[in-house]
Amino acid sequence: MPRMQVPTGTQRRNQKNDEENESPDASPSKEFEGSNRKIGAELKITTNDEEFVNSTQVKEADEESKDESNSGLKEVLSSTEPSLDAKISQFSENGEIDTVYEDVMESTESERITEKVVEEKATASGYSGVEEDGTVIEQNEIHIIKDNKVQTIEKEEYKEATTISDSGRKATDKIDSGTKEMRTVKNNDEKRVERIKIINDISENHVPKPESMGEGLILLKEEKKDEDFSLKLKLKEDANMRKEVLARLAEENFRKGNKLFYYPDVVKPDQDIEVFLNRSFSTLKNEPDVLIMGAFNDWKWKSFTIKLSKSHLNGDWWSCHVHVPKEAYKMDFVFFNGQDVYENNENKDFCINVEGGMDVFDFENFLLEDKRREQKELARQKAEMERRQEEQRRIEAEKANQEADRVQAKEEVAKRRRMLEELVKKAKKSVDNVWYIEPREFKGEDEVKLYYNRISGPLAHAKDVWIHGGHNNWKDGLSIISKLIRSERKDGDWWFASVVVPDGALVLDWVFADGPPQQAIIYDNNHLQDFHAIVPKSIPTELYWVEEEQKIYRKLQVERRLREEAARAKAEKTARMKRETKERTLRTFLLSQKHIVYTDPLDVQAGKTVIVFYNPANTVLNGKPEIWLRCSFNRWTHRMGLLPPQKMLPAENGSHLKATVKVPLDAYMMDFVFSEKEDGGIFDNKNGMDYHVPVFGGVVKEPPMHIVHISVEMAPIAKVGGLGDVVTSLSRAVQDMNHHVDIILPKYDCLKLNNMEDFQFHKSYSWGGTEIKVWLGKVEGLHVYFLEPQNGFFSAGCIYGRRNDGERFGFFCHASLEFLLQSGFHPDIIHCHDWSSAPVAWLYKEHYRHYGLNKARVVFTIHNLEFGASLIGKAMQYSDKATTVSPTYSQEVSGNPVIASHLYKFHGILNGIDQDIWDPYNDKFIPLSYTSENVVEGKRAAKEALQQRLGLKKADLPLVGIITRLTHQKGIHLIKHSIWHTLERSGQVVLLGSAPDPRIQNDFVNLANQLHSSHNDRARLCLTYDEPLSHLIYAGADFILVPSIFEPCGLTQLIAMRYGSIAVVRKTGGLYDTVFDVDHDKERAQACGLEPNGFNFDGADAAGVDYALNRAITAWYEGREWFNSLCKRVMEQDWSWNRPALDYLELYRAARKC
């Protein structure tokens, strides 16, 4: 007995074009498909002959009145099984044709009860009569039923029409005097209209007269009998015909040795078919059970398993019925014994093509639509589940908070009770010659008179006397304030005031003063002990403290809920602002190349049509007579492949051309290039990057990439300069876009572990004879692997500054790649930074690419070319893509020998800032949270706080902030000059920074001493690093000065704009790319989708910086309203990592194509 493997699912064999060109013989199941069609053709001839011989009268009657009689037959059959063939087969095999007829008769008998009810309802109608043909006759009018409609005419008109009708009937009788059977069929068909009308009248509450109703019911009964007889006859004929057809098919296929055939021979969607297997011809010939297992459309749709039964056909034919769904274009199946023996057409599976329905692409779109609905429902369910989980968390948190509030209330009450009990011990009812209360017995809410002998204390000479009072150890603060009046009592200088005793008071507390609160100068406070009087008739002590505990508890709840609501509202606003900022940035990104290419709509939606606009005038295709669009989707990997080239047509807007593209539902990215000819020629492919536009709303998401950063710095745990900020912020931004990011970092002994979560030992491995311990932790939500070699390389107490830095970091680069290899990592991108991790590029290409890390591509970023040029040059040679931190800086260094020969893969991408760290709306280091909506108020509060902290004069003056490392690169000579120039313009200056060079540090210490002596109220130099103070300067300053000699990118000016401070910068590197002069750079800003946002200058001398600084300070003095609007504008510009992350992802994808 042959044993065959269970199939694992057949791959799609035929694409749409192949199926159209393929002959029937090309099908894997041709051995049975062709023979099945041949016999089917013979069957049609045989069937017609039999009908002519055996059913002549019925056939003629059908031909003569086929429209009406067929409709009647279909009406009867509509209540039977959907497949007549299947039903006939079932009846034939079980010998139940007669039973069917009996069932029909039984159904007819059951309807007689209904007919009787209808007759009874019609009895009271009063109809005068009904003609044989169903015409209803009343006294003056005739109602004629025609085409299921009632026409009413006068009796005289009816007589004339009847005469003509009778003549016509006589003629018709002569013509149609063929057979009695035909007359019966025709007459029955004519009467059907009458019956339908009568039934409709009843259903529409038109009650017919009894005679008409009776006639209708009689005719209805007669037709039911005729139809039942016709059905029985039809079933018998069809069953006999089907048996003969199947017998012929079985015999024909048996002679040819075919193991399979199916009926009917043309399979259509939404149809039942019968599949036959000759068990003796198959591998299942000795198996007692035969089952069919299959699915539709290349095994993608509606799988099924059905057991076959031995058929009535001669031979070992087994069969079953299968329903073909409406979405099917092909049926795929195999046979098996229910266990492990299979008949699968010699490993090719069996298949039957379905005609007249969907094709492959229609079905794919159907699946995508179905998937979209499924995803929408899953998203709804997920949102609902998250809502319920959040509600449950809220309930649990509320319970915990309530318990905490109760505990706090108890503690607070216990504390107050101890203090009040001590106070009660000291309280009096009166003090001789000082004070007393009348009446002596009183309670809460009573009005009493409190007398005071003015000459008893320091108020003896006061003109006025006031009481400032409260109760229960000043529990509610001042609740009694009243001016005393002189008493008539003569034995002293007595004054009194009428006061109301607070409700719930156990003790009254007060002092006397010479004036009301905030105006009094002299006080009598009982020698700093205050005055205290017992309330004689106070409420019971225990009851008071129970009520007090409840009051405290309710107060704590209200305060907590207000805090939570404020925090929730602030978090929601923060999320909304982030979302809106990201949307604006994406729109700017999509429009950034509008002078070359853009789409309409800008946000391309899956399943919709989009128009691509292209301007060849700004490309290599300028002047070409034709432009062709070549388009695909999903980074050129879409199932549809490359769309046919499309010739672009002139657009209405002038220089642009346009083409229309239908975006499939499973697209997440639209990809295109342009060419001069249909078959190629010169291409515009964006310098090898291709043009890409994101698609929204698709059912498929972009597969995530795995990026590994190998770096020696990372903020905030191991930060020296901007490199550490970039590694952390870029990684977070890319991770937020649903990609996987890991970072490998040396485990320095000077790491700031307080900024780390889940820090734990991970593993150990060896390389170069050294054991390396690996630690794993989370920093700013990022996975970081810390390598700790046991050779002490990173136990030096610092990051840089050792004589063997090159050896230390070279070892780290090699160890990082070894860690990836031994851990089985297969990243898509390895991103290394500056000279310190540059060796990764060539170590990977020369060694580890051949050891198993062959999937990765290397991206190398230059943060500062001033250090390690030779190492940088070698990394440029081996990297797949290289970047630096701004477009202008990339141009400035393009002539450097280590860069010049690699410009084809060298790109400038701006850095961004972390908008969570630098956020004036959520900054804990500034006094007032603010956004662009209240920037003026926020910055005013920050300036006042800054002036107070540094001891500057609190005045409304222009304040210039400088936050920098004090090095020659940062333009220290321009910084010194700007300080003096700002003071000359009556402004204030605050500098925060330190110098790694002791000589420069001492120079600024001397300058600070001089300034603090001569301009102590307007200048302050803080020569250290102070993170909280830096936040306050960014918020409180009007201007931030950055006069760098060279600046690859610069973050200072970006943070300044985030806080609404106006940047004053020198035109170099990233400063030029981010600060657009309000007087000179309007067009340059518009080209970047921005508005002017600051002041800049050329040159590196005093005249240059004075030109920018003077314009800035003058604008502050003379155009405050305009200046405030500028502060609002710069706050609304996005200098986060939203845009740079998009650029880096494009670069990563381009690198993967290398």
Side-chain angles (χ1 to χ4, degrees):
M1 179 183 301
R3 299 279 171 179
M4 306 187 73
Q5 184 102 23
V6 178
T8 60
T10 306
Q11 301 296 320
R12 182 184 304 158
R13 303 187 184 92
N14 302 318
Q15 295 299 321
K16 181 177 181 181
N17 294 337
D18 295 332
E19 292 177 350
E20 291 176 351
N21 298 327
E22 200 171 84
S23 67
D25 294 338
S27 170
S29 53
K30 63 182 181 180
E31 61 179 357
F32 59 86
E33 186 177 42
S35 60
N36 206 68
R37 293 183 181 275
K38 181 178 178 182
I39 294 176
E42 296 176 355
L43 167 65
K44 295 176 182 178
I45 299 173
T46 304
T47 302
N48 291 337
D49 292 341
E50 290 178 351
E51 287 180 337
F52 181 79
V53 174
N54 299 323
S55 307
T56 302
Q57 294 177 347
V58 176
K59 179 174 182 294
E60 290 176 352
D62 286 344
E63 288 176 350
E64 193 167 328
S65 57
K66 59 182 179 181
D67 291 337
E68 295 180 357
S69 60
N70 283 347
S71 64
L73 180 59
K74 289 178 182 177
E75 181 181 343
V76 175
L77 294 181
S78 62
S79 61
T80 65
E81 294 291 331
S83 174
L84 180 61
D85 289 335
K87 192 71 178 180
I88 294 171
S89 174
Q90 180 183 347
F91 292 160
S92 176
E93 291 176 5
N94 298 327
E96 295 180 350
I97 292 292
D98 293 336
T99 304
V100 172
Y101 179 71
E102 293 172 2
D103 291 342
V104 172
M105 293 298 101
E106 182 177 329
S107 175
T108 303
E109 180 65 27
S110 65
E111 292 175 357
R112 290 175 181 156
I113 300 174
T114 305
E115 296 169 359
K116 183 177 181 181
V117 173
V118 174
E119 284 180 317
E120 292 173 354
K121 288 184 178 181
T123 303
S125 64
Y127 278 136
S128 60
V130 59
E131 293 292 330
E132 182 180 355
D133 60 356
T135 302
V136 180
I137 305 174
E138 294 187 4
Q139 293 180 357
N140 299 316
E141 296 178 333
I142 307 297
H143 304 287
I144 301 174
I145 302 171
K146 184 177 182 181
D147 295 331
N148 294 341
K149 298 180 181 178
V150 178
Q151 180 181 0
T152 302
I153 60 175
E154 298 293 329
K155 280 188 176 182
E156 294 301 323
E157 296 176 351
Y158 176 70
K159 290 179 180 180
E160 182 179 352
T162 302
T163 304
I164 300 173
S165 177
D166 288 341
S167 301
R169 263 199 299 271
K170 291 177 182 179
T172 302
D173 290 340
K174 292 180 181 180
I175 296 172
D176 295 337
S177 57
T179 62
K180 181 179 180 181
E181 289 83 355
M182 287 182 61
R183 285 197 302 273
T184 301
V185 172
K186 184 174 181 181
N187 290 337
N188 287 343
D189 290 340
E190 290 173 347
K191 294 176 181 179
R192 183 178 293 111
V193 176
E194 302 171 15
R195 291 191 292 268
I196 290 173
K197 174 57 184 173
I198 295 172
I199 293 171
N200 287 342
D201 283 344
I202 297 173
S203 66
E204 295 174 1
N205 297 321
H206 298 159
V207 181
K209 291 188 176 183
E211 296 84 351
S212 177
M213 175 61 76
E215 178 70 15
L217 292 176
I218 293 172
L219 293 176
L220 183 65
K221 294 174 184 177
E222 291 176 354
E223 183 188 10
K224 191 66 178 176
K225 291 180 182 179
D226 295 339
E227 289 178 347
D228 290 343
F229 179 78
S230 299
L231 174 62
K232 178 181 177 183
L233 181 63
K234 178 66 174 174
L235 290 175
K236 285 184 178 181
E237 290 178 350
D238 289 348
N240 292 333
M241 179 186 69
R242 185 174 177 279
K243 283 183 179 180
E244 293 179 7
V245 172
L246 293 178
R248 294 190 184 201
L249 285 172
E251 181 181 356
E252 180 70 18
N253 281 279
F254 180 81
R255 286 199 307 268
K256 293 184 177 181
N258 294 337
K259 64 185 73 172
L260 182 143
F261 72 91
Y262 53 91
Y263 180 82
D265 60 328
V266 177
V267 178
K268 296 182 178 181
D270 199 18
Q271 179 188 48
D272 286 343
I273 67 170
E274 189 170 6
V275 179
F276 293 84
L277 172 72
N278 195 317
R279 186 180 60 170
S280 61
F281 287 174
S282 74
T283 58
L284 304 173
K285 59 185 177 182
N286 297 319
E287 301 297 329
D289 295 324
V290 180
L291 293 87
I292 184 173
M293 178 174 64
F296 299 91
N297 301 355
D298 298 304
W299 297 91
K300 294 179 181 178
W301 188 246
K302 292 191 177 181
S303 60
F304 58 86
T305 301
I306 305 172
K307 188 173 183 179
L308 278 71
S309 301
K310 182 69 170 65
S311 73
H312 66 281
L313 301 175
N314 294 331
D316 196 15
W317 291 101
W318 294 61
S319 71
C320 70
H321 288 86
V322 179
H323 180 71
V324 180
K326 63 183 179 180
E327 304 87 2
Y329 61 82
K330 187 171 66 168
M331 173 175 157
D332 309 282
F333 55 97
V334 296
F335 300 96
F336 72 120
N337 68 341
Q339 298 178 17
D340 58 354
V341 180
Y342 280 80
E343 170 56 64
N344 59 9
N345 195 25
E346 299 178 355
N347 293 324
K348 295 181 292 184
D349 297 349
F350 298 96
C351 73
I352 299 174
N353 290 326
V354 180
E355 299 182 9
M358 293 183 176
D359 60 18
V360 176
F361 291 100
D362 291 337
F363 177 69
E364 291 289 344
N365 288 332
F366 165 79
L367 288 182
L368 293 173
E369 285 284 4
D370 192 60
K371 186 174 182 180
R372 177 157 35 192
R373 288 190 293 270
E374 180 183 354
Q375 289 178 345
K376 186 176 181 180
E377 176 60 21
L378 289 174
R380 187 196 64 78
Q381 293 177 3
K382 181 181 179 182
E384 177 62 19
M385 182 181 66
E386 290 175 349
R387 186 194 65 78
R388 291 179 180 177
Q389 291 175 345
E390 180 60 29
E391 180 65 17
Q392 185 62 31
R393 283 194 295 268
R394 189 195 65 77
I395 293 172
E396 293 174 357
E398 181 65 20
K399 290 180 180 178
N401 289 331
Q402 288 177 354
E403 185 60 30
D405 290 342
R406 288 192 179 94
V407 171
Q408 185 177 347
K410 287 182 182 293
E411 293 175 348
E412 183 67 23
V413 161
K415 179 181 177 181
R416 291 184 183 185
R417 186 169 187 171
R418 288 192 300 270
M419 296 175 65
L420 192 57
E421 286 174 350
E422 290 296 322
L423 189 63
V424 168
K425 293 177 183 178
K426 301 177 182 179
K428 308 291 184 181
K429 291 188 176 181
S430 64
V431 176
D432 292 343
N433 286 325
V434 179
W435 65 270
Y436 66 92
I437 299 175
E438 288 185 350
R440 298 180 62 84
E441 298 294 323
F442 58 89
K443 63 182 184 302
E445 298 185 338
D446 286 352
E447 183 176 292
V448 300
K449 291 182 179 180
L450 193 155
Y451 289 84
Y452 171 63
N453 191 352
R454 187 175 62 167
I455 62 174
S456 65
L459 298 176
H461 302 290
K463 180 180 178 182
D464 296 320
V465 180
W466 287 72
I467 180 172
H468 302 175
H471 69 287
N472 297 351
N473 200 22
W474 303 97
K475 178 177 75 76
D476 295 331
L478 284 175
S479 57
I480 301 172
I481 301 172
S482 182
K483 184 178 180 180
L484 278 69
I485 59 176
R486 188 182 294 273
S487 170
E488 296 179 355
R489 186 172 174 177
K490 304 299 182 181
D491 57 343
D493 191 8
W494 291 94
W495 297 62
F496 76 92
S498 297
V499 298
V500 176
V501 179
D503 183 30
L506 302 178
V507 176
L508 294 177
D509 317 301
W510 74 90
V511 297
F512 297 106
D514 62 349
Q518 300 179 352
Q519 297 180 20
I521 300 174
I522 302 173
Y523 286 85
D524 183 356
N525 57 14
N526 193 23
H527 307 290
L528 301 180
Q529 298 297 310
D530 298 342
F531 297 96
H532 304 284
I534 295 174
V535 178
K537 295 182 179 180
S538 61
I539 66 173
T541 303
E542 292 302 323
L543 177 59
Y544 170 78
W545 289 116
V546 169
E547 292 179 353
E548 192 66 14
E549 182 178 327
Q550 287 299 316
K551 289 179 182 179
I552 295 173
Y553 171 68
R554 288 192 293 269
K555 181 181 178 183
L556 290 173
Q557 281 195 307
V558 170
E559 292 174 348
R560 174 177 54 79
R561 287 169 181 165
L562 288 175
R563 289 195 305 270
E564 290 175 349
E565 183 60 33
R568 188 181 303 111
K570 193 168 189 178
E572 290 175 355
K573 184 173 181 179
T574 300
R576 176 177 56 80
M577 291 190 298
K578 278 187 176 181
R579 183 175 62 254
E580 292 173 352
T581 299
K582 185 172 286 189
E583 290 172 355
R584 287 198 306 269
T585 300
L586 178 59
R587 184 174 182 84
T588 302
F589 175 76
L590 296 175
L591 286 172
S592 61
Q593 296 185 103
K594 188 172 182 179
H595 61 293
I596 297 177
V597 63
Y598 69 96
T599 62
D600 183 19
L602 200 60
D603 53 337
V604 179
Q605 297 292 323
K608 304 293 184 180
T609 298
V610 62
I611 302 176
V612 178
F613 291 90
Y614 176 66
N615 184 2
N618 299 308
T619 72
V620 295
L621 299 180
N622 183 29
K624 302 299 180 182
E626 293 182 355
I627 302 295
W628 291 78
L629 171 69
R630 297 168 181 273
C631 179
S632 186
F633 304 94
N634 300 355
R635 305 286 172 187
W636 307 99
T637 64
H638 193 264
R639 59 184 172 83
M640 294 168 56
L642 183 65
L643 300 184
Q646 185 178 165
K647 185 178 180 180
M648 304 191 75
L649 303 175
E652 295 77 11
N653 60 356
S655 58
H656 282 76
L657 303 174
K658 68 177 182 179
T660 301
V661 179
K662 178 66 182 294
V663 182
L665 283 170
D666 55 344
Y668 56 79
M669 189 68 65
M670 187 175 180
D671 320 298
F672 42 88
V673 296
F674 304 92
S675 65
E676 63 172 332
K677 300 177 181 178
E678 182 177 6
D679 57 352
I682 299 176
F683 280 85
D684 174 15
N685 61 5
K686 198 182 175 183
N687 297 320
M689 300 283 287
D690 299 340
Y691 293 96
H692 303 284
V693 175
V695 176
F696 302 93
V699 298
V700 177
K701 304 302 180 185
E702 183 171 13
M705 287 185 286
H706 182 198
I707 298 102
V708 174
H709 288 269
I710 299 178
S711 174
V712 302
E713 287 189 46
M714 181 185 184
I717 58 173
K719 174 184 173 180
V720 175
L723 166 59
D725 291 314
V726 170
V727 170
T728 301
S729 299
L730 172 59
S731 299
R732 287 183 60 190
V734 171
Q735 182 171 272
D736 287 345
M737 294 180 177
N738 301 316
H739 298 278
H740 304 311
V741 182
D742 292 313
I743 298 170
I744 303 177
L745 192 75
K747 186 179 180 298
Y748 302 106
D749 58 355
C750 57
L751 286 175
K752 298 179 181 178
L753 297 179
N754 59 320
N755 293 306
M756 199 180 310
E757 297 177 356
D758 304 328
F759 187 65
Q760 57 187 312
F761 177 76
H762 180 63
K763 64 178 290 187
S764 288
Y765 69 101
S766 295
W767 177 79
T770 301
E771 180 189 5
I772 302 171
K773 292 183 178 180
V774 183
W775 301 78
L776 176 62
K778 270 195 171 183
V779 180
E780 301 290 330
L782 298 164
H783 282 93
V784 185
Y785 295 93
F786 300 89
L787 305 189
E788 183 185 18
Q790 300 305 292
N791 55 14
F793 270 169
F794 301 109
S795 301
C798 61
I799 297 176
Y800 302 106
R802 307 296 292 181
R803 292 183 178 180
N804 64 338
D805 280 354
E807 181 183 5
R808 294 165 63 223
F809 295 137
F811 180 92
F812 165 70
C813 292
H814 217 141
S816 298
L817 292 171
E818 188 68 25
F819 167 69
L820 293 176
L821 178 65
Q822 293 195 27
S823 300
F825 282 31
H826 295 284
D828 298 292
I829 299 294
I830 297 175
H831 196 154
C832 47
H833 303 265
D834 261 356
W835 68 271
S836 51
S837 59
V840 168
W842 63 83
L843 289 173
Y844 171 78
K845 289 295 182 70
E846 291 182 346
H847 301 285
Y848 286 90
R849 182 173 63 175
H850 307 295
Y851 296 161
L853 289 176
N854 56 353
K855 180 183 177 183
R857 298 294 182 268
V858 176
V859 174
F860 175 62
T861 295
I862 302 171
H863 297 264
N864 195 331
L865 193 56
E866 293 298 303
F867 306 99
S870 62
L871 296 176
I872 289 175
K874 192 171 182 180
M876 287 290 298
Q877 177 184 350
Y878 282 89
S879 62
D880 295 293
K881 293 289 181 182
T883 72
T884 191
V885 292
S886 72
T888 297
Y889 186 65
S890 69
Q891 297 172 10
E892 292 172 350
V893 301
S894 61
N896 191 298
V898 303
I899 304 293
S901 58
H902 306 291
L903 293 179
Y904 66 95
K905 60 180 177 182
F906 188 51
H907 304 268
I909 299 177
L910 272 171
N911 286 341
I913 57 173
D914 192 316
Q915 60 182 345
D916 293 329
I917 297 174
W918 302 107
D919 180 9
Y921 188 60
N922 293 282
D923 196 325
K924 61 183 179 181
F925 298 125
I926 62 177
L928 177 65
S929 298
Y930 65 93
T931 67
S932 63
E933 298 169 356
N934 63 326
V935 59
V936 175
E937 294 80 5
K939 291 188 70 64
R940 182 188 301 120
K943 179 185 281 189
E944 292 174 356
L946 179 63
Q947 291 169 334
Q948 181 178 358
R949 173 171 174 174
L950 298 181
L952 298 175
K953 178 182 179 180
K954 285 191 175 181
D956 186 21
L957 299 173
L959 196 156
V960 176
I962 305 169
I963 303 174
T964 183
R965 286 184 298 113
L966 297 173
T967 65
H968 290 291
Q969 174 201 339
K970 301 299 181 180
I972 54 177
H973 68 291
L974 297 177
I975 291 174
K976 292 177 183 179
H977 174 81
S978 298
I979 291 173
W980 289 109
H981 189 71
T982 300
L983 295 174
E984 291 173 1
R985 294 293 309 269
S986 300
Q988 292 179 321
V989 180
V990 174
L991 181 147
L992 175 64
S994 60
D997 187 333
R999 294 171 298 179
I1000 298 176
Q1001 182 76 7
N1002 290 333
D1003 189 19
F1004 273 87
V1005 168
N1006 295 331
L1007 177 61
N1009 292 333
Q1010 180 183 358
L1011 289 170
H1012 297 168
S1013 174
S1014 62
H1015 298 83
N1016 186 54
D1017 61 341
R1018 292 194 291 124
R1020 194 68 76 239
L1021 275 61
C1022 305
L1023 303 176
T1024 184
Y1025 177 76
D1026 188 327
E1027 179 75 11
L1029 180 57
S1030 69
H1031 286 247
L1032 191 56
I1033 295 173
Y1034 281 123
D1038 296 299
F1039 306 99
I1040 295 294
L1041 177 67
V1042 191
S1044 302
I1045 303 304
F1046 71 92
E1047 192 65 70
C1049 178
L1051 300 180
T1052 303
Q1053 81 280 11
L1054 305 182
I1055 299 171
M1057 289 187 280
R1058 173 74 165 157
Y1059 281 75
S1061 297
I1062 306 305
V1064 181
V1065 306
R1066 184 174 175 273
K1067 293 181 181 180
T1068 182
L1071 300 177
Y1072 180 72
D1073 291 324
T1074 55
V1075 178
F1076 302 89
D1077 194 283
V1078 295
D1079 295 320
H1080 308 298
D1081 288 334
K1082 184 176 182 179
E1083 291 183 2
R1084 188 167 69 90
Q1086 287 178 344
C1088 298
L1090 298 169
E1091 293 183 80
N1093 54 13
F1095 300 87
N1096 56 32
F1097 63 94
D1098 292 304
D1101 54 8
V1105 70
D1106 283 352
Y1107 174 67
L1109 202 54
N1110 280 334
R1111 289 185 294 127
I1113 294 175
T1114 299
W1116 189 93
Y1117 278 123
E1118 299 179 358
R1120 187 68 66 88
E1121 185 176 346
W1122 174 87
F1123 181 83
N1124 291 338
S1125 68
L1126 182 62
C1127 295
K1128 183 178 188 296
R1129 178 192 304 173
V1130 301
M1131 281 199 73
E1132 293 173 347
Q1133 294 179 348
D1134 182 14
W1135 299 107
S1136 71
W1137 278 95
N1138 288 334
R1139 171 62 185 272
L1142 293 171
D1143 292 329
Y1144 268 104
L1145 287 173
E1146 286 297 302
L1147 187 82
Y1148 290 157
R1149 293 171 183 125
R1152 294 181 67 188
K1153 293 165 58 179
C1154 295

